[in-house]
Amino acid sequence: MIELHLEARSGLPPYQQIVRQVQRALRLGVLQVGDQLPTVKEVVERLAINPNTVLKAYKELEHSGLVSPRPGIGTFVTATLSDGSFASHGPLRQDLLRWLAKARRAGLDDESIEALFQDSFRASADQGVA
Amino acid sequence: MTSAIDTQGLTKRYGRRSALSGCTLSIPAGKVVGLVGPNGAGKTTLLHLAVGLLEPSAGRIEVLGHRPAESSEQLARVGFVAQNTPLYASMTVGDHLRLGGWVNPTWDEDLALERVEHLGLDVSQKAGTLSGGQRAQLALTLAVAKRPELLVLDEPVASLDPLARREFLQSLMSIVAEHGVSVILSSHLVSDLERVCDYLVVLVASRVLVAGEIEELLASHHRLTGPRRDGLHLPPDWEIIEETVTERQCALLVRHESPVHDPAWTVEQLDLEDLVLAYMGREATDGHKQGRTLVGAHS
């Protein structure tokens, strides 16, 4: 069982924070297939948040095929995120390091690099949606 | 689905003074509604109208599809905790529960006892000697044990320390999770409301300035900053809530339906507090003169 929490200053809506925390736990192998998520009532009681927030997060996880509810029992992990993409992490990291070196040679400081990355990331995400 | 609260032009006047003017709201059932606004804005008036302690001067209000306090059945469907959680100081916790049982036809004795035990309250203790947090929890217990469909709470956490406040909200949220009750609560603590509520009503100077699902409100309000430009044309669906213009820069807080395409704007997310403060500030500067309200967009 994992402990969920909320960050007041994360800027993300609470339901997305819960989704990300579960995804992260799945990616890191903290949660595995068959594990149970805390019940809505448990999360609500601990965090003092609206039950709909938790329900919405669990629905979204269900939609992406990661968990499934068993009525009257709880919500269980049905898939994991820890396999598959791991193999490609290394080469991607190499590419990114090479790009970072290039950006520094071009005279960009850390903040400019971050701004450029965020901007490009958003642009590519927008294209993906359109 | 029936609305939890439905009002049309709801107005309450005391002589010439309006405590609430032309309030039009349609709040779906199953929500936890936060009611915010400065002191004297009319929050308590609206809540008292909802529970039938006050009669409207004009307009109408329906709660769960009926006029407030029109029948004993209607009274049983709404639980109310007034400001400062009034209890009988010389009566014990147990006396309060017995009283609750006598006056409420739908009283759930098991639920009341279970909650009192869970809270660690001593049934033989006099209410006058309870801490602020315990008093608030007992008042909530009395309201919940009548198994209402709607809970109306007037500033339930205003006088509580942070720990008691958190415990109260934990209790309230677990009640919502378990019994699916709708809630409307007033508070000044927007950070609390952001956690527990999914619907927000901003009431300033007797008027509803904005009302809607918190998620939709946050998705449709942004802070835009960009270079100052003359002859700036904004899309017709943009509504400027707050505007700061310096020689070089222009900062707007806008409500908008269409996405922001102009790359000259830097778009920032707001948190609920920014949003509430912007509406309150707007009322202070131009609201009285123009008498504008922004309610139209949600209905």
Side-chain angles (χ1 to χ4, degrees):
Chain A
M1 192 78 91
I2 57 164
E3 285 260 328
L4 297 168
H5 59 272
L6 283 190
E7 267 178 69
R9 317 223 164 276
S10 84
L12 279 178
Y15 89 93
Q16 270 180 21
Q17 292 190 39
I18 294 175
V19 168
R20 297 250 174 127
Q21 278 169 43
V22 172
Q23 286 172 340
R24 203 177 143 79
L26 290 169
R27 215 161 268 137
L28 297 174
V30 178
L31 275 178
Q32 289 174 351
V33 174
D35 284 349
Q36 188 179 359
L37 296 184
T39 65
V40 173
K41 192 161 179 277
E42 282 166 350
V43 180
V44 158
E45 255 181 29
R46 199 164 50 233
L47 301 183
I49 58 169
N50 192 301
N52 291 330
T53 305
V54 188
L55 282 169
K56 190 170 175 190
Y58 284 13
K59 278 253 165 61
E60 186 159 318
L61 290 162
E62 192 189 331
H63 268 293
S64 46
L66 296 172
V67 304
S68 99
R70 284 185 220 157
I73 310 174
T75 306
F76 292 83
V77 175
T78 48
T80 170
L81 289 169
S82 65
D83 48 17
S85 74
F86 255 153
S88 51
H89 282 196
L92 283 170
R93 179 190 292 267
Q94 286 302 322
D95 287 354
L96 209 51
L97 287 172
R98 267 196 293 277
W99 182 87
L100 285 169
K102 209 163 134 190
R104 290 220 172 80
R105 276 200 301 277
L108 275 74
D109 62 10
D110 287 359
E111 281 183 6
S112 310
I113 290 175
E114 206 178 311
L116 185 60
F117 177 79
Q118 292 283 2
D119 210 44
S120 315
F121 189 82
R122 230 174 276 138
S124 112
D126 286 348
Q127 274 173 10
V129 171
Chain B
M1 192 156 69
T2 325
S3 296
I5 296 182
D6 204 53
T7 71
Q8 194 74 48
L10 183 66
T11 298
K12 180 68 189 175
R13 280 186 291 268
Y14 294 102
R16 281 204 193 153
R17 196 181 72 82
S18 281
L20 195 68
S21 336
C23 163
T24 297
L25 285 170
S26 178
I27 302 173
K31 299 283 170 201
V32 180
V33 182
L35 181 59
V36 280
N39 290 328
K43 299 189 296 290
T44 298
T45 303
L46 176 58
L47 297 181
H48 282 190
L49 285 163
V51 297
L53 282 172
L54 288 174
E55 282 283 322
S57 311
R60 58 164 194 86
I61 177 167
E62 279 187 0
V63 173
L64 303 165
H66 293 271
R67 276 196 309 114
E70 68 171 20
S71 62
S72 56
E73 288 82 17
Q74 178 67 8
L75 283 172
R77 297 169 75 200
V78 181
F80 176 54
V81 178
Q83 218 163 347
N84 307 322
T85 52
L87 295 168
Y88 298 97
S90 60
M91 277 171 51
T92 65
V93 171
D95 292 339
H96 278 90
L97 297 188
R98 272 187 291 281
L99 184 63
W102 287 332
V103 299
N104 292 295
T106 52
W107 186 254
D108 186 337
E109 180 82 16
D110 293 342
L111 176 68
L113 290 173
E114 191 189 313
R115 262 190 57 79
V116 162
E117 191 184 338
H118 184 73
L119 295 165
L121 294 179
D122 174 2
V123 285
S124 63
Q125 194 176 345
K126 292 216 161 103
T129 63
L130 295 172
S131 72
Q134 289 172 324
R135 268 207 308 279
Q137 292 275 20
L138 177 58
L140 179 64
T141 300
L142 296 173
V144 168
K146 63 186 265 195
R147 300 301 301 268
E149 291 163 56
L150 172 70
L151 268 176
V152 178
L153 311 172
D154 194 359
E155 305 232 6
V157 297
S159 60
L160 304 186
D161 67 60
L163 179 63
R165 206 170 85 213
R166 174 56 62 91
E167 285 170 352
F168 183 90
L169 294 175
Q170 284 172 326
S171 290
L172 182 62
M173 287 303 101
S174 85
I175 289 161
V176 171
E178 209 163 348
H179 303 296
V181 58
S182 307
V183 179
I184 178 165
L185 77 156
S186 61
S187 176
H188 289 300
L189 297 153
V190 180
S191 54
D192 280 349
L193 296 182
E194 196 161 15
R195 277 178 103 95
V196 303
C197 297
D198 41 21
Y199 199 99
L200 185 81
V201 178
V202 181
L203 196 61
V204 181
S206 88
R207 292 181 180 276
V208 175
L209 293 193
V210 66
E213 304 263 349
I214 288 177
E215 214 170 284
E216 284 170 21
L217 292 177
L218 290 176
S220 62
H221 288 77
H222 288 96
R223 192 186 301 284
L224 310 182
T225 36
R228 182 177 171 169
R229 288 171 284 173
D230 289 325
L232 181 64
H233 283 290
L234 298 176
D237 66 305
W238 284 20
E239 186 167 19
I240 299 172
I241 312 301
E242 192 184 79
E243 185 177 15
T244 324
V245 184
T246 64
E247 250 168 66
R248 301 262 173 90
Q249 205 190 35
C250 177
L252 304 177
L253 199 153
V254 295
R255 178 177 194 160
H256 57 96
E257 305 296 327
S258 57
V260 180
H261 288 304
D262 188 343
W265 293 115
T266 306
V267 183
E268 267 178 83
Q269 303 263 350
L270 296 176
D271 64 22
L272 203 59
E273 187 131 23
D274 296 333
L275 195 149
V276 168
L277 287 173
Y279 274 100
M280 286 190 188
R282 172 186 169 133
E283 178 65 18
T285 51
D286 69 6
H288 286 293
K289 274 176 276 168
Q290 300 176 12
R292 288 173 64 184
T293 66
L294 309 173
V295 194
H298 87 276
S299 54

